[in-house]
Amino acid sequence: MNFKVLIYVCTITLFSCAKPEYDVVIVGGGASGITAAIQSSRLGSKTLLIEKTDWLGGMLTSAGVSAMDGNYNMPGGFIKEFRDSLVSYYGSLENLKTGWVSNIMFEPSVGNKILNSIAQTQDNLEIVFNSSVKKIDNKKGNWELTLDSNSDLPKVTSKILIDATELGDLIPILNIPYSIGMDSNSQFAEKIAPLKSNNIIQDLTYVMILKDYGKDVTINEPLNYNREEFLCSYDSKECFNSDLKLWSKENLISYGKLPNGKIMINWPIYGNDYYVNSIEMNESEREFHYEKAKQKSLRFLYFIQTELNYNNLSIDKQEFLTKDGFPKIPYYRESRRIKGKVTLNLNHIKDPYSHKYSIYKTGIAVGDYPVDHHHNAHPKYKELPKLDFYPIPSYSVPLGSLIPENINNFIVIEKSISVSNLVNGTTRLQPVVMQIGQAAAILAYLAVSENKNIDKVNIREVQLEILKNKGYIQPFVDVNLAHPNFISYQKIGACGILKGKGINIGWENKTLFYPENDLKIEDLDFSNYNTYKKHPFPKSLTISNILDWVIKIKTNQKLNYNSEFFWEDLGLDKNDLNKTIKRGEFSVVIDKLLDPFSSFNIDFDGEIINNDL
């Protein structure tokens, strides 16, 4: 059955409905939720997606933040498919580079249209809009959900439940431990964290999508308008805050320029960010503050019209078709954060190879955006840590950060995964949460198909399926998906046998694998592979010496590596056997002849299980 709004038939005699059964139920159709739903369906899992609004895409679309931040050099998995769909719609990749905040800009309604179009082709996917979860029970190992919906929907059951909500709304229902706000610097030994923990979260924003009406469309002066509120939003010559980099009014407008001449106003510098910690509020309390956030955006719009002289720009009420023209939801930058099997902190990202546990080896998604926290709207902003664009290398997100402790067959995605508050400043970005959603669907599929709890699924199986679906598990930006040896480099990197090097160049955050560099002894790390350490590694790293070493390990096999077909089978050119082997060549040889990736299973800490295989 193709994706559709569900209609259920109840038995008249019992005045009740049978409970539809699913392999996977995903609550939340945001950036991670819709990605998870599509991937789950494609793998053959009977999937239900429950979405609170009538749109798909969350922050990508429903919140109006239609500018994808980061991963331009690592557009893996569904990200690339979505980007390619945008390219098809707008004509070229260049046509998406309309604003300077991102290389991928699009109209929110177009993003929603594309996601719905893709969803409609999925045979195993059903979607319920305008619905949320009222109650959750676990009966005989299966989840039973009672829905709050405009329709008379019955209860539904599933084997795997995924929380993809914007604020992690299922987490407290299930009494799962979680954190909100800033961690103290003693919690994870993160030097730039505050001395004491607090409940301060990032600002939210009610984004505006403006269009040029070609005439004066200045709105009525909003209540409580004061031009001084926004004087530091641009180089007004009236702002004397020396801590700020001030942009011109032209830069303010072109920052979020979208195709077809529309303008996204999501301006962080004394613009329309609004501070409230609404996570634990009830719906009426939230709505009160969301209305105040909208009023701030309207005041900023009036400032843009009257002070910056853009009186021809105003809200495009056709974009979202809401009564006031605002997006379906605010842009949430932060939510509840679970305590998972592992917690990714800033030290893991800055130097992934120096820790007791190598959680980078369990990577299921990659990111390269700086640690970016929005706190300008907080009343005590100047007392908070300065976290704007803190540089980091590109990094991997570990599988264990999606899995809470002490609960079976429940996966958490979107912005509620197990990371420190600081790390949330980069894992919250759209490309990362989309990959997380795709990985969650793969994990759920393997658990169902193998009849295992999710924490018993082989991590390497999850990673292999991600690679099969053209995703990244290691953040190497110098080898793209099209490279014939991409998978070998990813696998050997995930084994830790060869490591990448993290660097920062301007705004770019990279980890490089250097496949064309000659292999050096100091590059290699076999410390966790007892089987390989039984055979002394050659001092001279020629191709023939490396192959002789491999033959000694594979004692029962004879390799005719002088054969031209041998090199073709490895995907390499026939080379002079006496030359020094390159890092990339070594990766291919080790991957295809020894296959350490699949030969040694790992746990959530990245430690090898059964090391003496």
Side-chain angles (χ1 to χ4, degrees):
M1 169 167 52
N2 285 344
F3 142 69
K4 63 180 182 179
V5 178
L6 298 182
I7 301 173
Y8 294 100
V9 178
C10 301
T11 57
I12 298 175
T13 56
L14 296 178
F15 295 97
S16 64
C17 292
K19 293 187 290 251
E21 297 179 356
Y22 298 90
D23 295 320
V24 181
V25 168
I26 302 160
V27 183
S32 64
I34 182 56
T35 304
I38 290 168
Q39 179 67 64
S40 179
S41 172
R42 288 175 174 173
L43 290 170
S45 299
K46 185 179 180 185
T47 306
L48 174 66
L49 178 63
I50 301 167
E51 165 53 28
K52 195 173 183 178
T53 72
D54 58 354
W55 272 33
L56 297 173
M59 58 178 162
L60 279 170
T61 59
S62 305
V65 191
S66 51
M68 294 184 68
D69 292 313
N71 281 57
Y72 305 129
N73 295 316
M74 299 184 291
F78 187 72
I79 302 170
K80 186 175 186 301
E81 181 178 346
F82 180 68
R83 187 193 69 179
D84 290 348
S85 297
L86 289 169
V87 169
S88 295
Y89 185 89
Y90 287 109
S92 72
L93 191 58
E94 284 301 311
N95 289 344
L96 304 181
K97 298 177 181 179
T98 49
W100 58 268
V101 70
S102 169
N103 289 334
I104 303 174
M105 311 286 287
F106 54 96
E107 295 155 280
S109 57
V110 171
N112 174 59
K113 179 180 178 181
I114 286 172
L115 291 173
N116 272 277
S117 177
I118 296 172
Q120 287 173 8
T121 67
Q122 309 308 312
D123 290 338
N124 300 300
L125 176 59
E126 299 170 356
I127 300 180
V128 179
F129 289 105
N130 300 309
S131 302
S132 58
V133 174
K134 185 164 57 176
K135 183 181 177 183
I136 306 175
D137 293 303
N138 193 292
K139 295 185 177 180
K140 297 181 180 180
N142 286 334
W143 296 105
E144 183 178 278
L145 282 68
T146 303
L147 306 186
D148 184 1
S149 175
N150 293 332
S151 303
D152 293 328
L153 293 176
K155 294 178 179 179
V156 298
T157 65
S158 72
K159 298 172 184 176
I160 308 293
L161 178 60
I162 299 178
D163 185 346
T165 59
E166 295 291 327
L167 298 176
D169 287 333
L170 305 191
I171 295 169
I173 297 176
L174 296 174
N175 296 314
I176 294 171
Y178 61 90
S179 300
I180 295 176
M182 296 184 178
D183 307 303
S184 69
N185 58 18
S186 61
Q187 178 74 32
F188 301 108
E190 297 170 315
K191 291 183 179 179
I192 64 171
L195 185 63
K196 295 182 179 180
S197 62
N198 58 55
N199 68 347
I200 298 171
I201 68 169
Q202 292 195 61
D203 305 337
L204 60 77
T205 308
Y206 247 109
V207 172
M208 295 180 289
I209 304 298
L210 310 183
K211 76 172 184 179
D212 186 350
Y213 283 84
K215 60 182 180 179
D216 187 345
V217 285
T218 304
I219 62 174
N220 293 329
E221 181 175 312
L223 187 67
N224 299 321
Y225 174 74
N226 183 341
R227 65 185 292 273
E228 293 183 4
E229 183 178 12
F230 305 108
L231 282 179
C232 288
S233 64
Y234 78 114
D235 58 354
S236 65
K237 308 299 186 282
E238 296 182 68
C239 176
F240 304 102
N241 187 337
S242 60
D243 294 333
L244 294 175
K245 174 179 175 57
L246 298 179
W247 302 87
S248 68
K249 68 177 186 177
E250 291 80 14
N251 283 129
L252 188 157
I253 295 299
S254 61
Y255 169 89
K257 186 177 180 182
L258 306 178
N260 292 322
K262 296 180 184 179
I263 306 292
M264 177 187 71
I265 300 296
N266 175 33
W267 188 248
I269 308 170
Y270 285 87
N272 55 330
D273 283 1
Y274 175 86
Y275 181 74
V276 62
N277 185 342
S278 65
I279 294 174
E280 303 285 42
M281 292 180 178
N282 61 38
E283 284 301 316
S284 62
E285 290 171 329
R286 287 178 180 176
E287 287 303 322
F288 172 79
H289 281 282
Y290 298 163
E291 183 58 33
K292 291 184 72 173
K294 290 180 181 180
Q295 290 302 313
K296 183 174 184 181
S297 288
L298 287 174
R299 294 197 300 274
F300 190 43
L301 172 59
Y302 187 73
F303 180 85
I304 290 170
Q305 292 174 328
T306 58
E307 296 287 337
L308 306 189
N309 298 318
Y310 289 103
N311 62 14
N312 56 312
L313 299 179
S314 195
I315 292 176
D316 180 2
K317 293 196 174 181
Q318 297 302 306
E319 187 65 33
F320 300 101
L321 296 177
T322 52
K323 186 179 296 185
D324 55 14
F326 276 100
K328 307 283 182 177
I329 59 173
Y331 176 29
Y332 303 101
R333 295 183 175 88
E334 198 165 326
S335 64
R336 301 175 176 92
R337 304 188 311 278
I338 62 164
K339 179 174 175 53
K341 297 291 185 183
V342 297
T343 300
L344 182 67
N345 67 56
L346 190 59
N347 298 313
H348 291 131
I349 289 179
K350 286 192 70 66
D351 190 1
Y353 306 119
S354 66
H355 300 277
K356 178 181 179 182
Y357 298 116
S358 304
I359 63 173
Y360 75 89
K361 294 178 182 177
T362 72
I364 46 81
V366 295
D368 63 2
Y369 203 75
V371 173
D372 179 25
H373 281 240
H374 286 229
H375 292 293
N376 281 20
H378 191 275
K380 296 184 178 180
Y381 164 67
K382 292 186 177 181
E383 300 175 19
L384 301 179
K386 299 298 181 284
L387 302 174
D388 301 339
F389 301 108
Y390 183 79
I392 54 173
S394 53
Y395 60 90
S396 293
V397 177
L399 179 62
S401 63
L402 283 59
I403 305 173
E405 292 184 326
N406 305 321
I407 187 168
N408 289 326
N409 297 331
F410 179 67
I411 305 173
V412 175
I413 53 177
E414 195 63 24
K415 294 178 282 287
S416 293
I417 63 173
S418 183
V419 295
S420 70
N421 169 264
L422 288 175
V423 169
N424 172 72
T426 177
T427 57
R428 68 179 175 82
L429 278 304
Q430 307 101 318
V432 180
V433 301
M434 292 173 80
Q435 293 171 87
I436 289 168
Q438 193 161 9
I442 289 169
L443 175 61
Y445 160 73
L446 290 171
V448 171
S449 61
E450 297 173 4
N451 195 27
K452 294 179 178 177
N453 287 335
I454 56 173
D455 61 346
K456 302 301 181 186
V457 172
N458 187 317
I459 294 171
R460 293 306 195 200
E461 282 190 70
V462 177
Q463 293 176 310
L464 281 172
E465 191 65 35
I466 290 170
L467 292 172
K468 179 182 174 182
N469 284 272
K470 302 186 183 303
Y472 284 73
I473 60 175
Q474 295 297 295
F476 305 140
V477 302
D478 52 344
V479 184
N480 64 38
L481 283 163
H483 193 285
N485 298 322
F486 170 82
I487 290 179
S488 288
Y489 300 166
Q490 289 280 305
K491 288 163 69 177
I492 296 304
C495 288
I497 293 172
L498 284 181
K499 297 175 173 62
K501 181 178 180 181
I503 60 173
N504 304 105
I505 303 175
W507 284 55
E508 292 189 273
N509 303 298
K510 301 181 177 183
T511 298
L512 303 176
F513 191 66
Y514 298 112
E516 298 304 316
N517 286 7
D518 286 348
L519 182 69
K520 298 177 181 179
I521 287 286
E522 56 266 31
D523 291 347
L524 295 164
D525 185 358
F526 288 112
S527 59
N528 295 317
Y529 295 87
N530 293 338
T531 301
Y532 301 162
K533 288 193 296 182
K534 293 175 183 177
H535 305 277
F537 199 74
K539 293 181 180 179
S540 176
L541 303 182
T542 63
I543 293 174
S544 61
N545 285 346
I546 295 298
L547 290 171
D548 287 339
W549 178 75
V550 170
I551 290 171
K552 290 175 184 177
I553 295 173
K554 297 172 69 71
T555 53
N556 296 323
Q557 296 188 33
K558 188 74 174 175
L559 300 178
N560 180 19
Y561 57 77
N562 286 303
S563 166
E564 190 169 328
F565 295 105
F566 175 83
W567 292 107
E568 290 179 358
D569 288 344
L570 291 180
L572 300 172
D573 295 328
K574 188 173 182 179
N575 287 289
D576 179 359
L577 297 177
N578 294 317
K579 81 178 187 76
T580 300
I581 196 167
K582 296 185 181 299
R583 284 170 57 97
E585 292 171 335
F586 177 79
S587 299
V588 174
V589 168
I590 297 302
D591 172 40
K592 296 193 176 182
L593 297 183
L594 295 180
D595 191 16
F597 185 86
S598 297
S599 299
F600 300 90
N601 295 334
I602 57 173
D603 61 21
F604 289 111
D605 291 322
E607 297 301 297
I608 292 176
I609 305 168
N610 299 328
N611 197 4
D612 292 315
L613 289 175

